[in-house]
Amino acid sequence: MNTADLGLPVDVPSTALFTDQYELTMLQAALKAGTAGRRSVFEVFTRRLPEGRRYGVVAGTGRVLDAVENFRFDPGVLGFLRQRGIVDEATLEWLSSYRFSGDVWGYPEGEVYFPGSPILRVEGTFAECVLLETVILSILNHDSAIAAAASRMASAAGGRPLIEMGARRTHELAAVAASRAAYIGGFATTSDLAAGFRYGIPTVGTSAHAFTLLHDTERDAFRAQVDTLGRGTTLLVDTYDVTEAVRTAVEVAGPELGAVRIDSGDLLLVAHRVRQQLDELGATHTKIVVTSDLDEYAIASLAAAPVDAYGVGTQLVTGSGHPTASMVYKLVARAESDDPGAPLVAVAKKSTGGKTSVGGRKWAARRVDAHGVAEAEVVGTGAVPAELADRQLLVELIKGGEVVGREPLDAVRDRHAAARSRLPLSAAQLSRGEPVLATEYVQGPSGS
């Protein structure tokens, strides 16, 4: 069962404190000023991609939907805020009945994005939207960074399966989110059972070096594993001498041995030697799995090696050098008054240092060439040009406070594979370069 369909709660009763204090102090001031009820539009976007990256990957949207549903100020949370004196009683009273009742639109999860893409658009009163900033950014920044790294690794792997095995290299709850994001980006399986339980991701795993060291001989360890898990298991062959271990593995399991795993050494050289040895021993169908601090560059360097699968840990769950997607959550439009029918006014931060933003409620579309290959990301306000009407990217995720955009994780994973395949071929290059698509802006009326 894919539990992403069920809208299961996050691992705490409420997500309301997954926020920064200034969200609540802004709320208190806005309530007092009489501006908290103004209709507002916030957007999530990034001003730039991590250096050298050609595209970003939207991941975490499903977790955002769960977090918004569970953003509730229960008595325990309110008691904490009261005890610390963080906000006044009037604000606490307002928070006690908080339920997000607005609308959320966004790029569908698994889609690719570029600088300026309105990845998520949150609409409602200022008060109810501003509170969601931190938790939304926390989820999207983490998951999108992991998914982007996973996507690059999947491209480098060239169709060979990838195993996510980074749980021991990050926070225990972040590991579950990372596994989900990696699956979106193209990984096939995970070693993390919590991720398998929560999201239905296929899980794998057999043994570590400790199991071999536990036994008197390597043969004893292999025999114990094969007797328990069957001849199709994967035997770890680099605890002592690889050549001797491969010979022993085939003697114990026979030519039906499922796979051997190599976790150290010159993987390119060792893989070739092991493949030759397996073939000479008649284990022509035994696969070779490699692990050992892999990243997309190491995976690409093994493209010519007889490797059947890769296991990746540290570099994956840390975003392969870029652990955040640098997304921001900015107010881009607000009403002139509390009147529900008041027109929207575009607003934007103006500052030096590259932190400017574009005001106005935006749409986004992807223009393609005659071959269906993407050629530009078009972002605009106001009316959508007729030629782009059927190329719009944003979809409705929450309507009137009710989630309408939840979907199975496998559908998200398939979407990413399709989106990546429609990018120019240079998107798969690991060499440093600019985003593979330029972002074009189409300016409509100021209040759009």
Side-chain angles (χ1 to χ4, degrees):
M1 177 184 295
N2 189 334
T3 56
D5 297 331
L6 304 180
L8 294 183
V10 292
D11 301 290
V12 293
S14 167
T15 54
L17 292 183
F18 288 178
T19 192
D20 292 306
Q21 180 169 315
Y22 79 169
E23 313 291 6
L24 299 187
T25 54
M26 281 194 289
L27 169 65
Q28 176 176 307
L31 288 170
K32 187 173 183 179
T35 53
R38 289 188 176 184
R39 187 162 57 101
S40 300
V41 181
F42 286 81
E43 289 176 352
V44 174
F45 62 94
T46 184
R47 297 183 177 95
R48 64 191 66 83
L49 297 180
E51 184 179 358
R53 296 288 171 90
R54 304 301 181 93
Y55 61 91
V57 180
V58 179
T61 309
R63 297 206 308 120
V64 166
L65 299 180
D66 291 344
V68 172
E69 283 189 327
N70 288 279
F71 204 90
R72 304 283 187 268
F73 291 85
D74 57 35
V77 170
L78 293 170
F80 165 78
L81 297 175
R82 180 178 290 109
Q83 179 186 25
R84 294 290 182 93
I86 292 172
V87 291
D88 60 21
E89 285 298 324
T91 305
L92 290 172
E93 178 63 26
W94 190 92
L95 291 173
S96 68
S97 59
Y98 178 86
R99 299 290 187 276
F100 180 73
S101 64
D103 302 327
V104 176
W105 290 71
Y107 278 39
E109 192 167 17
E111 185 57 84
V112 296
Y113 70 86
F114 300 90
S117 296
I119 296 161
L120 201 73
R121 191 175 72 218
V122 182
E123 304 183 34
T125 66
F126 176 84
E128 63 180 341
C129 294
V130 74
L131 295 181
L132 299 175
E133 175 181 4
T134 304
V135 71
I136 286 176
L137 289 179
S138 176
I139 293 170
L140 292 180
N141 268 314
H142 173 269
D143 290 23
S144 296
I146 306 306
S151 180
R152 284 162 59 86
M153 292 175 188
S155 290
R160 295 170 178 174
L162 292 156
I163 307 163
E164 185 281 310
M165 47 196 306
R168 64 191 62 196
R169 298 291 187 246
T170 188
H171 184 280
E172 66 272 18
L173 298 183
V176 182
S179 180
R180 181 184 185 277
Y183 190 66
I184 291 170
F187 274 59
T189 54
T190 179
S191 65
D192 192 306
L193 290 176
F197 173 76
R198 180 169 175 74
Y199 296 116
I201 301 169
T203 58
V204 295
T206 51
S207 68
H209 293 104
F211 186 75
T212 300
L213 296 170
L214 169 68
H215 293 81
D216 294 336
T217 68
E218 194 167 47
R219 181 180 296 273
D220 290 342
F222 288 173
R223 172 58 63 194
Q225 184 174 328
V226 170
D227 286 348
T228 303
L229 300 178
R231 296 177 184 272
T233 191
T234 299
L235 295 177
L236 182 58
V237 295
D238 71 330
T239 306
Y240 304 118
D241 179 82
V242 173
T243 301
E244 183 60 32
V246 170
R247 182 181 300 108
T248 302
V250 176
E251 288 176 357
V252 170
E256 299 84 12
L257 174 62
V260 295
R261 178 163 74 94
I262 307 166
D263 189 50
S264 59
D266 182 337
L267 297 179
L268 179 63
L269 176 63
V270 175
H272 277 287
R273 288 177 175 174
V274 168
R275 181 72 271 160
Q276 181 179 353
Q277 185 181 10
L278 286 170
D279 291 346
E280 290 173 350
L281 293 171
T284 56
H285 298 293
T286 299
K287 299 183 181 301
I288 297 175
V289 180
V290 296
T291 54
S292 186
D293 295 325
L294 299 177
D295 61 10
E296 60 265 49
Y297 301 102
I299 291 169
S301 73
L302 293 168
V307 171
D308 298 287
Y310 307 91
V312 190
T314 302
Q315 290 301 316
L316 173 66
V317 299
T318 57
S320 196
H322 298 287
T324 177
S326 299
M327 294 177 186
V328 294
Y329 183 97
K330 296 298 180 182
L331 180 66
V332 296
R334 52 89 174 166
E336 295 178 335
S337 70
D338 285 353
D339 183 345
L344 289 174
V345 177
V347 295
K349 177 180 179 180
K350 298 187 187 305
S351 66
T352 58
K355 283 196 170 185
T356 58
S357 57
V358 178
R361 181 180 185 273
K362 300 176 194 67
W363 50 264
R366 188 162 298 145
R367 191 170 67 238
V368 300
D369 64 17
H371 303 286
V373 177
E375 62 179 12
E377 192 86 340
V378 185
V379 176
T381 58
V384 180
E387 66 272 17
L388 295 175
D390 62 348
R391 305 296 308 174
Q392 293 188 72
L393 291 164
L394 277 73
V395 298
E396 196 166 30
L397 300 170
I398 297 178
K399 182 177 183 179
E402 297 296 323
V403 173
V404 297
R406 187 173 280 116
E407 56 188 343
L409 193 58
D410 282 335
V412 175
R413 187 171 187 267
D414 291 344
R415 176 182 295 119
H416 175 64
R420 190 175 62 201
S421 72
R422 290 191 289 267
L423 293 176
L425 290 176
S426 58
Q429 292 178 345
L430 297 180
S431 57
R432 294 187 181 277
E434 296 300 313
V436 72
L437 296 186
T439 303
E440 301 176 359
Y441 288 98
V442 178
Q443 198 72 32
S446 62
S448 299

